[in-house]
Amino acid sequence: MIIGVDVGTSVTKASLLGRDGSARVTHSVRSTLHRSTGGRVEQDLDEVVASVISVVRSVAAEADAPVQALAITGQGDGLWLRDAAGAQIGPGLSWLDARSAPVLERWESEGVLRRVYGLTGSGMFPGSAAPLLAHVAEHEPQRLDRAEVAGYCVDAIVQRLTGEITVDASDASLPFLDVPTRAYNAAVLEACGLSGFRALLAEPAPPGKLFALDSRSAAELGLPPGLPVSAGPFDLPACAFGSGVRADGDAALVIGTTLGCQVLRDEVTIDPDADAAGMWLATPDPDRYLRVMPAMVGTANLDWVLRMVGAGVHDLEALLAASPAGANGVSALSFLSSSGERAPFVEPHARGQFTGLSLETTPADLVRALCEAVAYAARHNLESAGLTGEVAACGGGARSAAWSRIFASVLGRPLHVPHEEGVGARGAAMTAWDSLGEPVDRELWANARHTVEPDAAAVEFYERGYRAYLESIDRARPVWRSGGGASG
């Protein structure tokens, strides 16, 4: 048995996982996002660590067999500054934080974003580590003077539980890492003006590295001291492997608050003329990589439109059934995040829209139009990432049969949805078993899912709708850049 922990943005969840991938016991607890002016979104590391202790201790108390390891995954990006003992130097800056938008605007005008993309194949967005680090260096330099490490959520927790300063290569991939070599690229640090902070970046742990639970943390968790601790990969790649992605060209679609669109690749290829968006991630296998397009659209959009029409998630199936493919002529762009969009293009000022409205438009039409727009965004991102194989889907949106059918129809291919929830923790546990030298049966795990087939009658319609969607984005981007509202 392994306890898999997924430290999400708003929920921390732990599961006792068997070698078949099934969860025997699961406990979860909510965390707090602290939002304030200037696009600030922060988390308190002490509260996050307390959430981990709470759920792991509850799961460990119900374990009916020895626990072999603790496998940790969680949110990526952001900036979590700590001292040598793991104490936070100010609150953690979430990947949702937008305070560094002016830094990115300056870097874009100076050509920094294009230079970094040419070196690593990865773009940046306001919540990624480099612009956040630059913002702190400019506005709160005393924090960096006190810090020993500038890292991420997962390695912050691992430091508190084991005393080790480390980082998983998946977390370190954006934006400073040369992913194929797993070494920091000095030219990237120089381009960002951050060479002076190189000492704050922990060296990526080698594949298969395990850490040991220290005695104090062991007592808090109800686990034995010295228990192996696996640190990563972070949640996006963990979800990919936990949902059954195995072959070159296969994709994982994480339909969560945002869309995690990722494709497994055998080599890193950089198109210098492409939009400077997305990222290449190192994986637990040093010869495999993930091309990731982490779009800002997702179930947050669904929540918004349901709220606007006075409905709830429990109404979704009925609303989608009440409006046909194409939403009776209503179409949408789903860029509702205040941070704009980060994949497959970067537009900090991107905004959403509805077109085709009339007096006959119903609440169901609005809901369906936005759900279709998110599905179009998923296709746009997956195709940009190199999709050629199967697509696995997980996250809250995948639990909707009707919405999953829309995704499958827009993609024009089946959607494979794992039976088990918590695929991030499963992916982390899979990595831990590999590190223990006891790999699980990946065929068994991959088969533990059901298939959502496309609606044959809708596939051709959505093909035309997708082309219209791309044209709408092309028309809107110059308007976003000029500071106006989107035009359809």
Side-chain angles (χ1 to χ4, degrees):
M1 294 288 188
I2 281 179
I3 296 179
V5 185
D6 188 348
V7 187
T9 308
S10 55
V11 175
T12 298
K13 182 182 295 185
S15 296
L16 183 65
L17 298 163
R19 288 184 56 81
D20 61 354
S22 64
R24 314 299 170 83
V25 180
T26 297
H27 286 276
S28 64
V29 64
R30 296 195 67 82
S31 297
T32 307
L33 283 175
H34 301 279
R35 298 180 182 270
S36 56
T37 58
R40 295 168 179 262
V41 184
E42 299 173 331
Q43 288 192 273
D44 181 86
L45 177 57
D46 292 337
E47 181 190 14
V48 173
V49 172
S51 75
V52 173
I53 292 171
S54 173
V55 294
V56 171
R57 187 175 186 87
S58 295
V59 168
E62 296 185 44
D64 56 2
V67 175
Q68 295 173 264
L70 184 63
I72 302 174
T73 186
Q75 57 182 294
D77 300 308
L79 183 66
W80 299 66
L81 299 169
R82 295 105 61 191
D83 66 15
Q88 62 184 347
I89 307 298
L93 281 63
S94 168
W95 62 273
L96 289 167
D97 197 286
R99 74 185 71 181
S100 71
V103 173
L104 281 183
E105 291 175 359
R106 184 172 70 247
W107 284 357
E108 182 177 22
S109 67
E110 295 172 350
V112 173
L113 299 185
R114 178 54 58 182
R115 289 202 297 277
V116 171
Y117 183 82
L119 291 165
T120 66
S122 292
M124 289 183 277
F125 64 99
S128 53
L132 287 173
L133 186 59
H135 176 91
V136 173
E138 181 179 354
H139 298 281
E140 300 178 88
Q142 68 280 2
R143 291 180 65 179
L144 300 183
D145 292 339
R146 297 166 52 205
E148 183 74 20
V149 57
Y152 307 87
C153 179
V154 172
D155 52 86
I157 294 164
V158 172
Q159 185 182 3
R160 294 284 281 267
L161 298 184
T162 70
E164 299 280 356
I165 295 177
T166 184
V167 66
D168 187 76
S170 64
D171 257 322
S173 294
L174 178 70
F176 303 120
L177 206 68
D178 179 77
V179 170
T181 65
R182 296 179 176 238
Y184 291 114
N185 189 316
V188 173
L189 284 158
E190 183 179 358
C192 296
L194 297 171
S195 299
F197 302 107
R198 168 64 180 84
L200 296 180
L201 306 180
E203 292 302 320
K209 173 70 174 178
L210 291 170
F211 303 92
L213 193 64
D214 65 33
S215 56
R216 176 187 55 79
S217 298
E220 291 177 326
L221 297 171
L223 293 170
L227 183 77
V229 176
S230 176
F234 80 90
D235 56 5
L236 278 179
C239 284
F241 297 113
S243 60
V245 170
R246 294 176 295 165
D248 180 57
D250 283 355
L253 176 60
V254 184
I255 314 171
T257 303
T258 58
L259 284 182
C261 304
Q262 44 194 334
V263 177
L264 190 63
R265 305 284 289 275
D266 287 339
E267 62 178 349
V268 172
T269 58
I270 300 173
D271 178 1
D273 297 322
D275 274 294
M279 62 188 78
W280 285 97
L281 298 182
T283 75
D285 182 341
D287 297 319
R288 310 295 290 279
Y289 314 96
L290 281 166
R291 181 58 172 156
V292 182
M293 293 290 175
M296 297 298 287
V297 302
T299 56
N301 300 63
L302 174 65
D303 293 339
W304 175 85
V305 73
L306 290 173
R307 193 164 61 247
M308 290 300 102
V309 303
V313 174
H314 59 279
D315 301 308
L316 179 59
E317 303 300 302
L319 286 165
L320 291 177
S323 181
N328 289 313
V330 179
S331 61
L333 293 180
S334 54
F335 308 114
L336 302 182
S337 170
S338 58
S339 299
E341 186 51 274
R342 59 178 178 172
F345 53 84
V346 177
E347 290 286 1
H349 302 294
R351 293 295 179 264
Q353 67 180 50
F354 284 97
T355 57
L357 301 175
S358 72
L359 293 175
E360 286 71 41
T361 297
T362 68
D365 294 332
L366 296 176
V367 172
R368 185 171 191 102
L370 200 62
C371 286
E372 290 176 345
V374 174
Y376 289 141
R379 177 172 171 178
H380 194 188
N381 281 280
L382 289 173
E383 289 185 349
S384 298
L387 169 65
T388 58
E390 294 184 345
V391 180
C394 61
R399 293 197 290 269
S400 165
W403 201 11
S404 293
R405 194 80 179 275
I406 291 173
F407 278 105
S409 301
V410 167
L411 292 169
R413 61 185 74 213
L415 211 61
H416 303 284
V417 182
H419 298 314
E420 291 277 345
E421 297 181 17
V423 294
R426 294 174 77 222
M430 181 185 290
T431 300
W433 265 306
D434 286 345
S435 300
L436 290 168
E438 304 173 16
V440 298
D441 183 343
R442 280 166 164 72
E443 189 74 26
L444 175 65
W445 283 44
N447 289 335
R449 55 190 189 178
H450 67 274
T451 300
V452 179
E453 295 289 346
D455 182 345
V459 169
E460 184 177 350
F461 175 88
Y462 282 134
E463 182 65 32
R464 295 192 301 272
Y466 177 59
R467 300 303 160 190
Y469 168 84
L470 296 179
E471 292 171 1
S472 294
I473 291 176
D474 288 340
R475 290 194 300 271
R477 289 183 73 174
V479 181
W480 294 332
R481 290 170 180 167
S482 70
S487 172

